[in-house]
Amino acid sequence: MNNDAVFEDAVRMVQCLAAVAMFVVGLEWQALQRRGTLNAVWSADLLREEWGWRRVLMAPATTRVIPLMQLLLAAVLLLAAWLEVRPSTVSAVAAGGLAATLWHTAVRVRSTMNGGSDGMLFVVLLALAVATVPVAQALRHGALLFVAAQLVMSYLRAGWVKAREHDWWTGHALRSFLSIPAYGVPRWLPQAPVLLRTASFGVLLFELAAPVALVSPAAAVAYAAVAWCFHFATAVVFGLNRFLLAWSAALPSLWFAAHLLQARRH
Amino acid sequence: MLLRLLFPSWAFFDAVTDVPRLEVRSWPTRVAPDVWWPVLTAPARGVRHLLYNPEGTEHLALQALVDRFAVECETGDNHTVTAALLTRLAARALEAPDHGPHTANRVAGDTWSWQWRVGAASTPREADTVGDFRVLYESDVMALCPGQAHTGPR
């Protein structure tokens, strides 16, 4: 396969998975608005001053529309991927609009709603907006490479900061994280010291090995498969469902990056 | 905010640190203050929550707010706005039907007081041990009026 064909396939995969992720984000935001806690706590009357010029965008009426916009734009993004329209201004506008809704939510709650998963989805959507628009091919490729770079960085940096902590090599750190009540870790999870040490070592190895994914397209696919299992496990253990969705959407970029690097070498 | 979204830190689950916890207590003003109880408890999860988990997302967002307040307290940053948001959160928790041990024992005509605090709970290194709790901030005592708890400090 040539680079352009691989690029188009990778973009299509990223687009489909990002659309699914944003569909879930929209549904969750809708449910949260019905529950009322977030709007009651992050009350507009307390935050209006802090919003400054953005207060027009943060009006309750706008906030109510955000989940509907997310559902609509996610459907457009999915449909555009399905119809394989390339390059597509419609896809670019939908992806850009979805990224803007994530920014809106982050300003609304003064931080990310779901930690790094919002960041990764934002990166993916912004890159999609560039990768699907009819501009120079190099720029479109660059956008997807940016996702791959952020993806590798997300594992490498997470692995590096863990590797510097002695407690991660002994299994104590993992045991402590599993005991944090905020994560509601299932009681059935076995936590024998030898298991925790092995799992800790596995996490460190997996995260620090991220650059290996760029060695070849086969290595990228193998690493992506392990990564997906890793995120599935964190969703089961820590309840981080949005991390599974966001990283799933970003993973196909690894395949394109590995393919491009291999083509450059030959 | 744009830069934070575009370039996240990616330093997930690095060092084991104390975990901030929001607690609240309410009591009839004529008696001694009641025990503190945690406002945020992780929601139960099932298979569907692997994909769709609004309760979990809300819980993490609220816990992030408590975390932010703890950081602001420890670094000496201005925490006025965050404290006001936490007052809303604690007051809302008091409105829940099962909010505390005294709820069921309300006597007509009693005036009630309430208070919230944020502390840092150390994560135990060994199984079946309990970590310490270090208080970072304790709010003023506020009067609790039925249906008006959410109006915050007076």
Side-chain angles (χ1 to χ4, degrees):
Chain A
M1 285 175 89
N2 67 35
N3 287 342
D4 288 343
V6 171
F7 172 76
E8 295 301 344
D9 283 353
V11 167
R12 193 161 169 246
M13 280 189 273
V14 171
Q15 194 167 335
C16 289
L17 292 165
V20 171
M22 284 309 296
F23 206 77
V24 173
V25 168
L27 286 176
E28 284 193 350
W29 211 180
Q30 206 168 38
L32 293 179
Q33 293 207 1
R34 274 199 304 272
R35 285 165 67 88
T37 306
L38 290 184
N39 285 332
V41 173
W42 280 277
S43 161
D45 59 300
L46 292 176
L47 297 172
R48 198 165 287 122
E49 197 177 324
E50 197 174 270
W51 288 334
W53 64 269
R54 300 167 299 188
R55 76 181 64 165
V56 182
L57 298 171
M58 299 298 141
T62 317
T63 305
R64 270 196 299 275
V65 172
I66 292 291
L68 296 174
M69 275 178 68
Q70 288 174 330
L71 295 175
L72 181 72
L73 292 174
V76 170
L77 200 62
L78 193 61
L79 198 66
W82 190 275
L83 298 174
E84 293 187 58
V85 186
R86 285 287 179 271
S88 157
T89 309
V90 173
S91 299
V93 169
L98 284 167
T101 65
L102 286 180
W103 170 82
H104 182 279
T105 307
V107 173
R108 182 74 187 76
V109 300
R110 303 169 83 223
S111 178
T112 49
M113 182 90 136
N114 206 252
S117 74
D118 290 349
M120 184 55 88
L121 261 181
F122 187 78
V123 164
V124 166
L125 290 166
L126 217 56
L128 263 182
V130 177
T132 52
V133 83
V135 290
Q137 195 72 329
L139 195 61
R140 298 176 63 211
H141 284 192
L144 205 55
L145 288 177
F146 178 65
V147 178
Q150 285 279 31
L151 193 61
V152 171
M153 271 305 295
S154 73
Y155 293 124
L156 203 55
R157 176 145 165 72
W160 174 245
V161 294
K162 288 184 185 77
R164 290 189 312 179
E165 297 292 330
H166 177 257
D167 279 354
W168 262 101
W169 295 99
T170 59
H172 278 121
L174 186 55
R175 212 210 76 72
S176 295
F177 286 119
L178 291 171
S179 72
I180 294 176
Y183 292 119
V185 172
R187 288 179 184 279
W188 50 259
L189 194 78
Q191 296 191 32
V194 65
L195 268 177
L196 292 175
R197 219 169 18 249
T198 310
S200 299
F201 193 73
V203 169
L204 286 166
L205 193 67
F206 157 71
E207 291 189 332
L208 291 172
V212 174
L214 301 173
V215 167
S216 73
V221 171
Y223 190 85
V226 177
W228 196 86
C229 294
F230 170 75
H231 292 296
F232 183 80
T234 56
V236 172
V237 174
F238 292 105
L240 302 175
N241 66 314
R242 286 210 194 171
F243 282 74
L244 173 65
L245 293 163
W247 264 259
S248 295
L251 283 171
S253 68
L254 270 186
W255 178 56
F256 168 67
H259 201 282
L260 201 68
L261 287 172
Q262 193 178 55
R264 286 274 163 91
R265 283 196 295 269
H266 294 139
Chain B
M1 189 59 78
L2 262 180
L3 284 178
R4 255 165 64 189
L5 280 171
L6 204 53
F7 299 100
S9 91
W10 304 134
F12 301 128
F13 293 101
D14 48 352
V16 180
T17 54
D18 294 349
V19 183
R21 191 166 73 211
L22 172 64
E23 295 186 330
V24 70
R25 63 179 177 179
S26 64
W27 66 96
T29 309
R30 60 184 164 78
V31 300
D34 193 16
V35 292
W36 295 97
W37 51 276
V39 170
L40 299 174
T41 48
R45 290 199 299 271
V47 176
R48 84 165 165 94
H49 298 105
L50 285 174
L51 192 63
Y52 171 73
N53 188 10
E55 302 87 356
T57 297
E58 178 179 275
H59 177 72
L60 287 178
L62 294 171
Q63 181 60 43
L65 179 64
V66 180
D67 294 349
R68 176 177 176 156
F69 183 73
V71 170
E72 288 172 348
C73 284
E74 300 218 275
T75 57
D77 287 352
N78 182 354
H79 53 61
T80 314
V81 176
T82 317
L85 300 180
L86 286 181
T87 303
R88 297 283 170 107
L89 173 58
R92 197 171 161 85
L94 285 172
E95 289 169 2
D98 57 346
H99 85 260
H102 278 314
T103 318
N105 303 326
R106 283 198 174 191
V107 178
D110 260 1
T111 56
W112 281 61
S113 301
W114 74 287
Q115 196 178 15
W116 62 267
R117 71 177 181 182
V118 167
S122 64
T123 47
R125 284 173 62 88
E126 302 300 332
D128 304 323
T129 58
V130 179
D132 300 326
F133 186 78
R134 181 167 49 93
V135 176
L136 300 173
Y137 178 90
E138 204 166 281
S139 78
D140 291 338
V141 174
M142 295 168 267
L144 180 67
C145 304
Q148 290 185 336
H150 63 283
T151 54
R154 306 137 242 240

